[in-house]
mmCIF file with all atom_site columns, all heavy atoms in Angstrom:
data_model
loop_
_atom_site.group_PDB
_atom_site.id
_atom_site.type_symbol
_atom_site.label_atom_id
_atom_site.label_alt_id
_atom_site.label_comp_id
_atom_site.label_asym_id
_atom_site.label_entity_id
_atom_site.label_seq_id
_atom_site.pdbx_PDB_ins_code
_atom_site.Cartn_x
_atom_site.Cartn_y
_atom_site.Cartn_z
_atom_site.occupancy
_atom_site.B_iso_or_equiv
_atom_site.pdbx_formal_charge
_atom_site.auth_seq_id
_atom_site.auth_comp_id
_atom_site.auth_asym_id
_atom_site.auth_atom_id
_atom_site.pdbx_PDB_model_num
ATOM 1   N N   . VAL B 1 147 ? -18.616 2.429  -8.125  1.00 92.00 ? 147 VAL B N   1
ATOM 2   C CA  . VAL B 1 147 ? -18.232 3.840  -8.163  1.00 92.00 ? 147 VAL B CA  1
ATOM 3   C C   . VAL B 1 147 ? -19.434 4.700  -8.546  1.00 92.00 ? 147 VAL B C   1
ATOM 4   O O   . VAL B 1 147 ? -19.663 5.777  -7.980  1.00 92.00 ? 147 VAL B O   1
ATOM 5   C CB  . VAL B 1 147 ? -17.067 4.064  -9.158  1.00 92.00 ? 147 VAL B CB  1
ATOM 6   C CG1 . VAL B 1 147 ? -16.834 5.542  -9.418  1.00 92.00 ? 147 VAL B CG1 1
ATOM 7   C CG2 . VAL B 1 147 ? -15.798 3.424  -8.636  1.00 92.00 ? 147 VAL B CG2 1
ATOM 8   N N   . ARG B 1 148 ? -20.249 4.188  -9.474  1.00 92.00 ? 148 ARG B N   1
ATOM 9   C CA  . ARG B 1 148 ? -21.429 4.964  -9.879  1.00 92.00 ? 148 ARG B CA  1
ATOM 10  C C   . ARG B 1 148 ? -22.459 5.005  -8.753  1.00 92.00 ? 148 ARG B C   1
ATOM 11  O O   . ARG B 1 148 ? -23.144 6.008  -8.567  1.00 92.00 ? 148 ARG B O   1
ATOM 12  C CB  . ARG B 1 148 ? -22.046 4.363  -11.143 1.00 92.00 ? 148 ARG B CB  1
ATOM 13  C CG  . ARG B 1 148 ? -21.125 4.486  -12.342 1.00 92.00 ? 148 ARG B CG  1
ATOM 14  C CD  . ARG B 1 148 ? -21.629 3.640  -13.479 1.00 92.00 ? 148 ARG B CD  1
ATOM 15  N NE  . ARG B 1 148 ? -22.539 4.379  -14.350 1.00 92.00 ? 148 ARG B NE  1
ATOM 16  C CZ  . ARG B 1 148 ? -23.424 3.794  -15.143 1.00 92.00 ? 148 ARG B CZ  1
ATOM 17  N NH1 . ARG B 1 148 ? -23.549 2.491  -15.152 1.00 92.00 ? 148 ARG B NH1 1
ATOM 18  N NH2 . ARG B 1 148 ? -24.194 4.514  -15.922 1.00 92.00 ? 148 ARG B NH2 1
ATOM 19  N N   . ILE B 1 149 ? -22.567 3.895  -8.013  1.00 91.00 ? 149 ILE B N   1
ATOM 20  C CA  . ILE B 1 149 ? -23.472 3.909  -6.863  1.00 91.00 ? 149 ILE B CA  1
ATOM 21  C C   . ILE B 1 149 ? -22.989 4.950  -5.854  1.00 91.00 ? 149 ILE B C   1
ATOM 22  O O   . ILE B 1 149 ? -23.784 5.719  -5.297  1.00 91.00 ? 149 ILE B O   1
ATOM 23  C CB  . ILE B 1 149 ? -23.559 2.501  -6.228  1.00 91.00 ? 149 ILE B CB  1
ATOM 24  C CG1 . ILE B 1 149 ? -24.367 1.578  -7.150  1.00 91.00 ? 149 ILE B CG1 1
ATOM 25  C CG2 . ILE B 1 149 ? -24.201 2.566  -4.850  1.00 91.00 ? 149 ILE B CG2 1
ATOM 26  C CD1 . ILE B 1 149 ? -24.390 0.139  -6.723  1.00 91.00 ? 149 ILE B CD1 1
ATOM 27  N N   . ALA B 1 150 ? -21.674 4.986  -5.645  1.00 93.00 ? 150 ALA B N   1
ATOM 28  C CA  . ALA B 1 150 ? -21.107 5.986  -4.735  1.00 93.00 ? 150 ALA B CA  1
ATOM 29  C C   . ALA B 1 150 ? -21.451 7.390  -5.217  1.00 93.00 ? 150 ALA B C   1
ATOM 30  O O   . ALA B 1 150 ? -21.801 8.271  -4.426  1.00 93.00 ? 150 ALA B O   1
ATOM 31  C CB  . ALA B 1 150 ? -19.593 5.809  -4.647  1.00 93.00 ? 150 ALA B CB  1
ATOM 32  N N   . ARG B 1 151 ? -21.383 7.593  -6.521  1.00 93.00 ? 151 ARG B N   1
ATOM 33  C CA  . ARG B 1 151 ? -21.714 8.915  -7.045  1.00 93.00 ? 151 ARG B CA  1
ATOM 34  C C   . ARG B 1 151 ? -23.176 9.260  -6.762  1.00 93.00 ? 151 ARG B C   1
ATOM 35  O O   . ARG B 1 151 ? -23.496 10.387 -6.380  1.00 93.00 ? 151 ARG B O   1
ATOM 36  C CB  . ARG B 1 151 ? -21.453 8.977  -8.556  1.00 93.00 ? 151 ARG B CB  1
ATOM 37  C CG  . ARG B 1 151 ? -21.498 10.404 -9.078  1.00 93.00 ? 151 ARG B CG  1
ATOM 38  C CD  . ARG B 1 151 ? -21.355 10.460 -10.573 1.00 93.00 ? 151 ARG B CD  1
ATOM 39  N NE  . ARG B 1 151 ? -22.501 9.853  -11.213 1.00 93.00 ? 151 ARG B NE  1
ATOM 40  C CZ  . ARG B 1 151 ? -22.423 9.099  -12.305 1.00 93.00 ? 151 ARG B CZ  1
ATOM 41  N NH1 . ARG B 1 151 ? -21.270 8.890  -12.876 1.00 93.00 ? 151 ARG B NH1 1
ATOM 42  N NH2 . ARG B 1 151 ? -23.510 8.568  -12.825 1.00 93.00 ? 151 ARG B NH2 1
ATOM 43  N N   . GLY B 1 152 ? -24.064 8.256  -6.923  1.00 92.00 ? 152 GLY B N   1
ATOM 44  C CA  . GLY B 1 152 ? -25.475 8.491  -6.620  1.00 92.00 ? 152 GLY B CA  1
ATOM 45  C C   . GLY B 1 152 ? -25.670 8.881  -5.168  1.00 92.00 ? 152 GLY B C   1
ATOM 46  O O   . GLY B 1 152 ? -26.483 9.739  -4.845  1.00 92.00 ? 152 GLY B O   1
ATOM 47  N N   . LEU B 1 153 ? -24.882 8.245  -4.261  1.00 92.00 ? 153 LEU B N   1
ATOM 48  C CA  . LEU B 1 153 ? -25.004 8.570  -2.838  1.00 92.00 ? 153 LEU B CA  1
ATOM 49  C C   . LEU B 1 153 ? -24.503 9.985  -2.570  1.00 92.00 ? 153 LEU B C   1
ATOM 50  O O   . LEU B 1 153 ? -25.104 10.748 -1.814  1.00 92.00 ? 153 LEU B O   1
ATOM 51  C CB  . LEU B 1 153 ? -24.223 7.566  -1.998  1.00 92.00 ? 153 LEU B CB  1
ATOM 52  C CG  . LEU B 1 153 ? -24.815 6.157  -1.966  1.00 92.00 ? 153 LEU B CG  1
ATOM 53  C CD1 . LEU B 1 153 ? -23.908 5.206  -1.219  1.00 92.00 ? 153 LEU B CD1 1
ATOM 54  C CD2 . LEU B 1 153 ? -26.191 6.191  -1.324  1.00 92.00 ? 153 LEU B CD2 1
ATOM 55  N N   . VAL B 1 154 ? -23.373 10.344 -3.203  1.00 94.00 ? 154 VAL B N   1
ATOM 56  C CA  . VAL B 1 154 ? -22.819 11.693 -3.032  1.00 94.00 ? 154 VAL B CA  1
ATOM 57  C C   . VAL B 1 154 ? -23.809 12.731 -3.554  1.00 94.00 ? 154 VAL B C   1
ATOM 58  O O   . VAL B 1 154 ? -23.929 13.836 -3.028  1.00 94.00 ? 154 VAL B O   1
ATOM 59  C CB  . VAL B 1 154 ? -21.467 11.800 -3.773  1.00 94.00 ? 154 VAL B CB  1
ATOM 60  C CG1 . VAL B 1 154 ? -21.037 13.234 -3.930  1.00 94.00 ? 154 VAL B CG1 1
ATOM 61  C CG2 . VAL B 1 154 ? -20.408 11.016 -3.032  1.00 94.00 ? 154 VAL B CG2 1
ATOM 62  N N   . GLN B 1 155 ? -24.550 12.342 -4.579  1.00 93.00 ? 155 GLN B N   1
ATOM 63  C CA  . GLN B 1 155 ? -25.548 13.253 -5.152  1.00 93.00 ? 155 GLN B CA  1
ATOM 64  C C   . GLN B 1 155 ? -26.659 13.543 -4.149  1.00 93.00 ? 155 GLN B C   1
ATOM 65  O O   . GLN B 1 155 ? -27.332 14.572 -4.238  1.00 93.00 ? 155 GLN B O   1
ATOM 66  C CB  . GLN B 1 155 ? -26.113 12.632 -6.439  1.00 93.00 ? 155 GLN B CB  1
ATOM 67  C CG  . GLN B 1 155 ? -26.913 13.599 -7.296  1.00 93.00 ? 155 GLN B CG  1
ATOM 68  C CD  . GLN B 1 155 ? -27.330 12.969 -8.611  1.00 93.00 ? 155 GLN B CD  1
ATOM 69  O OE1 . GLN B 1 155 ? -26.751 11.972 -9.046  1.00 93.00 ? 155 GLN B OE1 1
ATOM 70  N NE2 . GLN B 1 155 ? -28.334 13.541 -9.255  1.00 93.00 ? 155 GLN B NE2 1
ATOM 71  N N   . GLY B 1 156 ? -26.856 12.618 -3.179  1.00 90.00 ? 156 GLY B N   1
ATOM 72  C CA  . GLY B 1 156 ? -27.786 12.885 -2.088  1.00 90.00 ? 156 GLY B CA  1
ATOM 73  C C   . GLY B 1 156 ? -29.241 12.933 -2.503  1.00 90.00 ? 156 GLY B C   1
ATOM 74  O O   . GLY B 1 156 ? -30.068 13.521 -1.826  1.00 90.00 ? 156 GLY B O   1
ATOM 75  N N   . ALA B 1 157 ? -29.568 12.300 -3.643  1.00 92.00 ? 157 ALA B N   1
ATOM 76  C CA  . ALA B 1 157 ? -30.959 12.302 -4.080  1.00 92.00 ? 157 ALA B CA  1
ATOM 77  C C   . ALA B 1 157 ? -31.720 11.189 -3.367  1.00 92.00 ? 157 ALA B C   1
ATOM 78  O O   . ALA B 1 157 ? -31.189 10.101 -3.171  1.00 92.00 ? 157 ALA B O   1
ATOM 79  C CB  . ALA B 1 157 ? -31.032 12.099 -5.588  1.00 92.00 ? 157 ALA B CB  1
ATOM 80  N N   . VAL B 1 158 ? -32.950 11.465 -2.986  1.00 93.00 ? 158 VAL B N   1
ATOM 81  C CA  . VAL B 1 158 ? -33.762 10.459 -2.310  1.00 93.00 ? 158 VAL B CA  1
ATOM 82  C C   . VAL B 1 158 ? -34.085 9.322  -3.280  1.00 93.00 ? 158 VAL B C   1
ATOM 83  O O   . VAL B 1 158 ? -33.974 8.150  -2.958  1.00 93.00 ? 158 VAL B O   1
ATOM 84  C CB  . VAL B 1 158 ? -35.068 11.077 -1.776  1.00 93.00 ? 158 VAL B CB  1
ATOM 85  C CG1 . VAL B 1 158 ? -36.041 9.976  -1.354  1.00 93.00 ? 158 VAL B CG1 1
ATOM 86  C CG2 . VAL B 1 158 ? -34.766 11.989 -0.599  1.00 93.00 ? 158 VAL B CG2 1
ATOM 87  N N   . PHE B 1 159 ? -34.480 9.713  -4.483  1.00 94.00 ? 159 PHE B N   1
ATOM 88  C CA  . PHE B 1 159 ? -34.884 8.695  -5.453  1.00 94.00 ? 159 PHE B CA  1
ATOM 89  C C   . PHE B 1 159 ? -33.726 8.350  -6.378  1.00 94.00 ? 159 PHE B C   1
ATOM 90  O O   . PHE B 1 159 ? -33.092 9.222  -6.960  1.00 94.00 ? 159 PHE B O   1
ATOM 91  C CB  . PHE B 1 159 ? -36.097 9.173  -6.249  1.00 94.00 ? 159 PHE B CB  1
ATOM 92  C CG  . PHE B 1 159 ? -37.295 9.362  -5.375  1.00 94.00 ? 159 PHE B CG  1
ATOM 93  C CD1 . PHE B 1 159 ? -37.700 10.631 -4.993  1.00 94.00 ? 159 PHE B CD1 1
ATOM 94  C CD2 . PHE B 1 159 ? -37.990 8.272  -4.879  1.00 94.00 ? 159 PHE B CD2 1
ATOM 95  C CE1 . PHE B 1 159 ? -38.786 10.809 -4.162  1.00 94.00 ? 159 PHE B CE1 1
ATOM 96  C CE2 . PHE B 1 159 ? -39.077 8.433  -4.037  1.00 94.00 ? 159 PHE B CE2 1
ATOM 97  C CZ  . PHE B 1 159 ? -39.477 9.707  -3.674  1.00 94.00 ? 159 PHE B CZ  1
ATOM 98  N N   . GLN B 1 160 ? -33.437 7.048  -6.458  1.00 94.00 ? 160 GLN B N   1
ATOM 99  C CA  . GLN B 1 160 ? -32.332 6.575  -7.282  1.00 94.00 ? 160 GLN B CA  1
ATOM 100 C C   . GLN B 1 160 ? -32.911 5.647  -8.345  1.00 94.00 ? 160 GLN B C   1
ATOM 101 O O   . GLN B 1 160 ? -33.600 4.680  -8.023  1.00 94.00 ? 160 GLN B O   1
ATOM 102 C CB  . GLN B 1 160 ? -31.328 5.796  -6.426  1.00 94.00 ? 160 GLN B CB  1
ATOM 103 C CG  . GLN B 1 160 ? -30.805 6.558  -5.217  1.00 94.00 ? 160 GLN B CG  1
ATOM 104 C CD  . GLN B 1 160 ? -29.462 7.214  -5.480  1.00 94.00 ? 160 GLN B CD  1
ATOM 105 O OE1 . GLN B 1 160 ? -28.716 6.809  -6.372  1.00 94.00 ? 160 GLN B OE1 1
ATOM 106 N NE2 . GLN B 1 160 ? -29.160 8.237  -4.697  1.00 94.00 ? 160 GLN B NE2 1
#
Side-chain angles (χ1 to χ4, degrees):
Chain B
V147 169
R148 294 168 90 202
I149 288 173
R151 192 185 66 219
L153 291 175
V154 165
Q155 193 175 341
V158 167
F159 296 103
Q160 305 263 338

